[in-house]
């Protein structure tokens, strides 16, 4: 697999996906994500954010349109370039945390077990504990650490800190998201905009059907508008209704 360094990490053009006839979740969705950037994909529930991530991850198939990872059309081959965190915990609850580390080490050649163990210990998650014995928040932390301990090109995080206690969010955002490969890119979907705003390089406000209502560089928009991304989001969506 030959990666083109001059291409965006992710390029999607004219994506369309319907679950029921004539009702598109994504109607004509276009997005480009360059390397070295953390993008916040922000929008109301049901606008298609999770569907979009599943299309890129290969869990769903688009009805039409194209998806390229590092200039390569999306396929089973490009799965190795993607580390995906779904909204719901999917690990086998009967496994121990250290078994999970072994599993990821065996399954992913780019997995950094040492980095994962350090972050788990820093967050007080015992390696000899069964996942079933962990709290919901600890399970979410464990899953996020596993996903971010890979050395790959595209990290996609669907509501990564929704169940994480506020005291741990700063560590997660500064340590886990702040130290990803600069040749990679991160896409985060979340409703906790105020919490993730400090780490965002770019943002995109996504309306129903995949319409991008506003997008840009986070720092530049804050400078020109005098508003935070969270404030701007509330302003854009205050009167927004589903068609």
């Amino acid at each position: 697999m030959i990666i083109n360094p001059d291409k965006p990490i992710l390029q999607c053009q004219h994506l369309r996906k319907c679950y029921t006839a004539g009702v598109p979740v994504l109607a004509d969705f276009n997005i480009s994500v360059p390397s070295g950037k953390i993008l916040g994909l922000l929008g109301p529930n049901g606008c298609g954010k999770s569907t979009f991530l599943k299309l890129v991850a290969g869990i769903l198939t688009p009805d039409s349109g194209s998806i390229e990872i590092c200039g390569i059309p999306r396929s089973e081959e490009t799965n190795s370039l993607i580390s995906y965190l779904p909204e719901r915990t999917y690990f086998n609850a009967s496994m121990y945390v250290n078994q999970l580390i072994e599993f990821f080490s065996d399954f992913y050649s780019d997995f950094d077990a040492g980095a994962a163990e350090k972050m788990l210990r820093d967050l007080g998650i015992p390696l000899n504990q069964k996942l079933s014995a962990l709290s919901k928040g600890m399970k979410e932390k464990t899953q996020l650490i596993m996903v971010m301990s890979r050395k790959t090109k595209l990290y996609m995080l669907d509501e990564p800190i929704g169940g994480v206690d506020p005291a741990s969010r700063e560590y997660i955002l500064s340590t886990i998201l702040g130290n990803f490969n600069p040749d990679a890119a991160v896409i985060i979907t979340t409703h906790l905009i105020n919490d993730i705003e400090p780490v965002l390089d770019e943002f995109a406000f996504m309306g129903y059907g995949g319409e991008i209502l506003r997008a840009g560089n986070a720092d530049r928009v804050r400078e020109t508008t005098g508003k935070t991304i969270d404030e701007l989001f509330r302003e854009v969506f205050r009167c927004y209704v589903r068609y």
Side-chain angles (χ1 to χ4, degrees):
M1 182 167 53
I2 301 175
I3 296 173
N4 187 338
D6 297 323
K7 292 284 187 177
I9 296 294
L10 175 65
Q11 181 81 49
C12 299
Q13 294 182 309
H14 307 300
L15 282 185
R16 182 179 179 86
K17 180 64 180 178
C18 298
Y19 290 127
T20 56
V23 183
V25 179
L26 297 176
D28 185 22
F29 186 70
N30 300 275
I31 198 166
S32 180
V33 185
S35 62
K37 300 296 183 181
I38 298 179
L39 168 73
L41 187 60
L42 314 169
N45 291 335
C47 72
K49 301 187 300 296
S50 294
T51 294
F52 162 64
L53 296 185
K54 290 175 183 176
L55 290 170
V56 177
I59 297 170
L60 297 175
T61 302
D63 297 328
S64 59
S66 64
I67 302 172
E68 290 187 351
I69 315 295
C70 300
I72 305 168
R74 214 229 82 79
S75 66
E76 290 298 315
E77 187 180 30
T78 61
N79 283 345
S80 63
L81 302 176
I82 300 169
S83 193
Y84 169 54
L85 176 75
E87 186 176 4
R88 292 179 176 83
T89 304
Y90 64 94
F91 293 151
N92 185 335
S94 65
M95 294 180 72
Y96 288 84
V97 175
N98 51 15
Q99 289 179 322
L100 193 60
I101 293 173
E102 292 174 6
F103 174 80
F104 265 68
S105 295
D106 290 340
F107 201 79
Y108 299 108
S109 60
D110 57 16
F111 183 72
D112 188 337
E117 289 177 3
K118 181 183 185 305
M119 288 187 284
L120 287 164
R121 290 194 177 97
D122 286 347
L123 286 173
I125 300 172
L127 302 184
N128 60 351
Q129 186 74 274
K130 266 191 175 184
L131 292 174
S132 59
L134 300 179
S135 67
K136 181 178 183 292
M138 291 178 77
K139 288 176 185 175
E140 290 193 6
K141 293 175 194 175
T142 300
Q143 185 165 286
L144 177 59
I145 288 170
M146 294 297 107
V147 167
M148 293 304 298
S149 293
R150 290 183 55 200
K151 305 298 183 185
T152 188
K153 288 293 186 180
L154 177 61
Y155 301 88
M156 302 193 302
L157 313 177
D158 198 356
E159 295 287 351
I161 57 174
V164 174
D165 57 282
S168 299
R169 286 175 189 167
E170 184 177 354
Y171 173 88
I172 288 172
L173 293 171
S174 63
T175 303
I176 300 178
L177 295 181
N179 293 300
F180 75 100
N181 181 354
D183 294 327
V186 180
I187 300 175
I188 305 174
T189 72
T190 185
H191 63 282
L192 299 171
I193 302 173
N194 190 56
D195 288 295
I196 70 157
E197 183 164 343
V199 302
L200 295 183
D201 298 305
E202 309 283 335
F203 74 95
F205 294 160
M206 186 174 177
Y208 295 113
E211 179 186 11
I212 298 298
L213 302 175
R214 185 159 185 171
N217 177 274
D219 287 338
R220 191 172 302 120
V221 165
R222 280 190 290 261
E223 290 172 5
T224 57
T225 66
K227 298 175 183 177
T228 66
I229 302 302
D230 188 32
E231 290 169 336
L232 196 61
F233 178 87
R234 295 171 190 272
E235 180 180 286
V236 169
F237 286 97
R238 184 172 294 122
C239 300
Y240 184 74
V241 294
R242 186 165 193 163
Y243 53 78

